């Protein structure tokens, strides 16, 4: 069967996990926009202080970092450090032809670990909680990548 | 026909859009370098103050953020938040076998929206203009990703 | 032969280079964690000052930027600016069917340039050294991307 068919359960598993992670990451940008509008601040560029329909009363304070906005930016940055690598690592991993159940556990496990990481970060849980959830996702990523490397090397 | 052939119009459309976006993003790094050299500043690492052929007259002021350099860094960061996701989302989207004309409209439309976003950001247009252009690209990205997710789920 | 088979020497070359670069980039996250633990600082979120098993003696100084941690963050950020683009550019490039030897020179050359860039950045070599190593990798990336674009355009 065509390895890149969305009717193939293995590739469909990857596509579902990948698209969920893309939507999650894009969601951070929209959440940043939402919080900037709610806070009327947390902007970054000098021109953001021009009077416009969306910013009728500009104020220099709007360029000061706003913790509610910065928190989303940190979560977003954490996604940028992880998700693009996952998107490629997961793709290459399914090309090694792993057992479907294992692939589902790893790919969906990764998605769940990132959603929980988001929840922990958004609600300001302790560093220990956040780090544990990040570690689970990172170990899944490393496992899939190392497995692919070994397969490409002929092992 | 081979789905990943550059002779296939659908995959070629993706490849053209993807490579243009990669070159655009790499261009931001080169533009940062160019502006750092023109401004003789905007550096970030302590060792950048060592006397070298490219920096014959070091000065601690060179480590102070320089707005002309920072503007390019912000544009670059915006690319990092968007382009890697687009590269994978567009790839998966063409695997769903969409109509060629629709794929061209979405993929090339995305490229155009990002180039206009770059022009608006570089020339310091209002936040409203920049945000509108970003939104167009983001909605295209979300549409392609959601369409792929539905296809992978069997809809 | 199946273009996406890890038994195909061309695709295996890509897969080896790609997985090495993914592992390298993930390594930066782990190195950041390691240095934050060694320095007991360089944290970023207010909640990181809560008393936990991993941080038994919180101190507001722990949120001040720590240069040993910031250095790894800058290296990590440089990876984020380059590696995701490389992962897609390399994939599309091998789909153009280049000579194996050329593909190996470019893909493995890229990996070597990034590892040397890491060594130069970690050990605080001059900006000139670091920039030269970055330039080699960036030119390889641009070459592969431009070659793919030309192929997709029918040249």
């Amino acid at each position: 069967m065509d390895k890149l068919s969305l009717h193939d359960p293995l590739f469909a598993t990857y596509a579902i996990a990948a698209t969920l992670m893309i939507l999650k990451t894009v969601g951070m940008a929209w959440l940043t926009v939402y919080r900037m509008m709610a806070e009327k601040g947390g902007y970054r560029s000098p021109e953001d202080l021009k009077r416009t329909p969306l910013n009728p009363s500009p104020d220099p304070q709007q360029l000061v970092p706003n913790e509610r906005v910065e928190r989303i930016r940190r979560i977003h940055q954490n996604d940028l450090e992880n998700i693009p690598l996952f998107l490629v690592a997961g793709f290459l991993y399914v090309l090694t032809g792993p057992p479907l159940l294992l692939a589902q556990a790893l790919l969906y496990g990764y998605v769940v670990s990132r959603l929980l990481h988001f929840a922990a970060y958004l609600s300001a849980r302790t560093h220990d909680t956040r780090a544990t959830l990040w570690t689970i996702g990172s170990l899944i990523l490393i496992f899939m990548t190392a497995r692919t490397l070994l397969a490409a090397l002929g092992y």
Side-chain angles (χ1 to χ4, degrees), chain A:
Chain A
M1 182 185 266
D2 178 4
K3 274 198 283 191
L4 299 188
S5 166
L6 293 170
H7 299 293
D8 175 60
L10 195 55
F11 192 69
T13 299
Y14 164 70
I16 291 166
T19 51
L20 287 175
M21 289 288 85
I22 292 171
L23 291 174
K24 191 275 173 194
T25 305
V26 174
M28 295 306 98
W30 286 90
L31 192 48
T32 303
V33 169
Y34 173 78
R35 287 214 165 170
M36 287 196 299
M37 290 178 73
E39 299 284 318
K40 300 194 204 312
Y43 304 150
R44 282 188 160 170
S45 292
E47 65 267 27
D48 298 351
L49 294 187
K50 286 183 190 157
R51 187 183 309 273
T52 66
L54 289 175
N55 190 14
S57 311
D59 176 342
Q61 282 297 108
Q62 290 179 315
L63 288 185
V64 174
N66 175 303
E67 169 58 17
R68 280 179 58 77
V69 177
E70 291 304 310
R71 177 172 299 279
I72 309 301
R73 290 199 210 271
R74 288 195 301 271
I75 299 176
H76 199 175
Q77 180 67 18
N78 195 280
D79 280 344
L80 302 186
E81 292 169 9
N82 290 280
I83 303 305
L85 302 180
F86 168 76
L87 295 175
V88 175
F91 176 73
L92 294 176
Y93 178 65
V94 297
L95 293 181
T96 68
L100 178 59
L101 215 64
L102 177 59
Q104 287 174 332
L106 293 169
L107 291 163
Y108 294 151
Y110 186 87
V111 172
V112 171
S113 79
R114 293 300 300 176
L115 295 179
L116 292 175
H117 178 269
F118 167 65
Y121 213 152
L122 190 72
S123 59
R125 302 283 152 157
T126 63
H127 196 169
D128 293 21
T129 303
R130 201 173 83 223
T132 302
L133 292 164
W134 174 83
T135 298
I136 293 168
S138 194
L139 290 177
I140 292 175
L141 177 60
I142 290 170
F143 175 83
M144 293 193 305
T145 307
R147 186 67 197 77
T148 305
L149 176 58
L150 290 176
L153 290 170
Y155 296 100

